[in-house]
Amino acid sequence: QVQLVESGGGLVQPGGSLRLSCAASGFTFSNYAMSWYRQAPGKEREFVATITNAGTGTNYADSVKGRFTISRDNAKSTVYLRMNSLKPEDSAVYYCKATRAGWWGQGTQVTVSS
């Protein structure tokens, strides 16, 4: 069965950093582009970042460009999201997705607060 398991979320102060991980199994990870999305209470789920299957191309939402970095390790079947200079508006549940297949993880909570 396909599984995507996010981890690394938590409570961080404004200006701090976190690295999220998404461990994949049940499919050929290296054949799929991967994405991160996030959803805050009362808001729509929004796109954050995408990385191509070989890790040679990336795309970011304007709101996170210059602060977040998506990367992947195909040998470990894992995609990462490094988040720097965090703001309260970054608080959300962050989800991993196999882009073209539409498979989602369960999400990990990120809270940015003093």
Side-chain angles (χ1 to χ4, degrees):
Q1 182 178 222
V2 169
Q3 274 197 299
L4 297 169
V5 181
E6 300 95 334
S7 62
L11 176 64
V12 64
Q13 291 187 317
S17 298
L18 285 173
R19 188 179 74 160
L20 307 183
S21 298
C22 173
S25 60
F27 64 100
T28 304
F29 181 76
S30 61
N31 287 348
Y32 289 80
M34 299 295 295
S35 298
W36 287 95
Y37 287 73
R38 66 187 183 187
Q39 188 166 26
K43 296 185 178 180
E44 295 182 14
R45 188 170 297 187
E46 66 175 348
F47 167 79
V48 176
T50 294
I51 188 165
T52 57
N53 64 306
T56 55
T58 58
N59 187 254
Y60 299 90
D62 288 343
S63 59
V64 307
K65 201 169 295 181
R67 299 187 298 121
F68 290 12
T69 303
I70 188 170
S71 62
R72 67 191 295 158
D73 186 340
N74 284 348
K76 295 182 178 180
S77 295
T78 301
V79 62
Y80 304 95
L81 186 69
R82 185 174 300 280
M83 305 182 294
N84 296 327
S85 302
L86 283 162
K87 305 173 181 179
E89 52 262 46
D90 294 319
S91 296
V93 177
Y94 283 72
Y95 297 92
C96 177
K97 180 187 179 183
T99 306
R100 67 178 172 89
W103 300 319
W104 296 90
Q106 84 293 336
T108 186
Q109 176 72 51
V110 173
T111 303
V112 185
S113 177
S114 298

